[in-house]
Amino acid sequence: MEVIKITPRGYCYGVVDAVSLARDVASDPKMPRPIYILGQIVHNRHTVEELEKLGVRTMDGSDRLQLIAGIDHGTVIFTAHGVSPAVRIEAARKGLKTIDATCPDVTRTHDLIRELAAQDYSIIYVGKKGHPEPEGAVGEAPDRVQLVENQADVEALDVNVPRLAVVTQTTLSQWDTQAIIESIRARYPQAEVHNEICLATQQRQEAVATQSREADVVLVVGDERSNNSNRLVQVAREIAGRPAYLVGTAQDIDPAWLKGRRKVAVTSGTSTPTHITRDVIQFLEDYQPE
Ligand code: SF4
């Protein structure tokens, strides 16, 4: 098949740094054992399995305070998604060695929330419920931040204050976020908007929106728990108007998706290892559709 390789795609700087930090920790004999990662370091099971082989245990779950309750000694790595101050305090109280792999873009959002809260703002945080990034960000000022995920959440808001700010999660769809922000502005014209969708996420979404228009079908390589990979599928469907599917590996490709198609566009989420995307591209280049 003809394969359109969408660029940029795949690993972002935040993920590259987090994974390489975890590898360094695993190979450092001075680090107290056992070594844990609080949640999936990135939402990709291949990366998690690779680190398991190096002796790094993943504590799976999005409630990091609950996860840390199960650790008595050793080293704890905080993921690129960031953690709340309550988690840091609890790790220190337990005497755990901590390694912080929080992406600088997420740290910037945490700093922003703290600054806004200190200036007496109420904050609406647009993000995905149950995802670790909002948990960490909202935890910076839990009394001041309300998490909204969709229009129904916006309608349910009751925050009539003069100082109101809107802050977004880093990996949302720019188009969805815009619609939610417009609804918030319609209800609360005083709201100051801080769009924190990171550059890596924006560039990958824009690339899909423009480069997949010529394709008959779009495949996004990524884990089903990866928010930014799921958003790329959504952008391909809703913005580029193409049929689009999420695949973990080449084995997940359903031949029915390729039947009668000639051109397939491929991209991958910021947490997808490069070699898996390469395998998918190779599979498609060799594939003879019916
Ligand atoms: Fe950082 Fe963006 Fe990558 Fe998340 S997706 S790790 S915020 S660069």
Side-chain angles (χ1 to χ4, degrees), residues 12-15 80 103 105-106 170-171 198 200-201 270:
C12 60
Y13 41 86
V15 166
C103 174
D105 288 4
V106 174
T170 58
T171 52
C198 74
T201 297
T270 55

Side-chain angles (χ1 to χ4, degrees), residues 28-276:
D28 184 346
K30 294 196 291 300
M31 288 294 163
R33 265 49 184 181
I35 299 169
Y36 299 96
I37 301 183
L38 219 50
Q40 291 201 354
I41 188 141
V42 292
H43 285 146
N44 190 283
R45 88 184 146 77
H46 302 277
T47 310
V48 170
E49 284 167 10
E50 186 215 314
L51 289 169
E52 293 272 350
K53 285 189 194 133
L54 298 176
V56 181
R57 302 184 196 170
T58 290
M59 304 284 285
D60 205 1
S62 61
D63 184 341
R64 273 81 54 85
L65 258 185
Q66 198 177 38
L67 295 180
I68 217 162
I71 303 175
D72 292 326
H73 61 284
T75 301
V76 170
I77 302 173
F78 299 145
T79 68
H81 310 101
V83 296
S84 66
V87 171
R88 291 180 195 278
I89 290 167
E90 185 58 8
R93 191 190 68 75
K94 294 188 116 181
L96 304 172
K97 168 92 179 159
T98 56
I99 303 290
D100 192 353
T102 305
C103 174
D105 288 4
V106 174
T107 301
R108 200 188 55 215
T109 306
H110 284 223
D111 294 346
L112 173 65
I113 289 174
R114 274 200 312 279
E115 282 162 26
L116 289 165
Q119 292 167 36
D120 206 26
Y121 277 84
S122 293
I123 300 155
I124 300 170
Y125 183 93
V126 185
K128 189 150 178 23
K129 290 173 189 167
H131 189 276
E133 189 183 326
E135 187 209 56
V138 172
E140 288 290 351
D143 299 341
R144 296 212 157 248
V145 187
Q146 295 196 53
L147 174 61
V148 301
E149 182 173 350
N150 51 37
Q151 301 285 356
D153 292 340
V154 175
E155 278 156 34
L157 283 171
D158 184 15
V159 282
N160 227 347
V161 291
R163 294 195 141 197
L164 183 63
V166 179
V167 178
T168 67
Q169 186 177 335
T170 58
T171 52
L172 301 178
S173 146
Q174 328 177 27
W175 293 274
D176 274 1
T177 309
Q178 202 47 44
I180 292 175
I181 287 172
E182 275 161 25
S183 307
I184 295 171
R185 274 200 172 124
R187 285 198 66 190
Y188 305 108
Q190 78 275 33
E192 282 175 28
V193 176
H194 300 265
N195 190 335
E196 294 293 302
I197 297 177
C198 74
L199 188 62
T201 297
Q202 283 182 41
Q203 288 173 333
R204 280 154 187 73
Q205 289 175 1
E206 277 157 17
V208 170
T210 54
Q211 295 170 37
S212 64
R213 287 189 196 276
E214 300 297 308
D216 299 316
V217 59
V218 180
L219 297 186
V220 178
V221 190
D223 196 279
E224 57 189 17
R225 289 173 59 178
S226 159
N227 192 49
N228 80 80
S229 300
N230 282 297
R231 297 291 71 76
L232 291 175
V233 173
Q234 185 188 7
V235 170
R237 286 180 185 157
E238 295 178 10
I239 307 299
R242 314 316 300 158
Y245 305 96
L246 183 72
V247 294
T249 67
Q251 277 78 52
D252 298 335
I253 298 171
D254 183 341
W257 301 339
L258 307 178
K259 198 169 179 189
R261 319 276 197 192
R262 280 189 318 105
K263 274 191 200 175
V264 54
V266 176
T267 186
S268 50
T270 55
S271 51
T272 308
T274 308
H275 68 94
I276 297 176

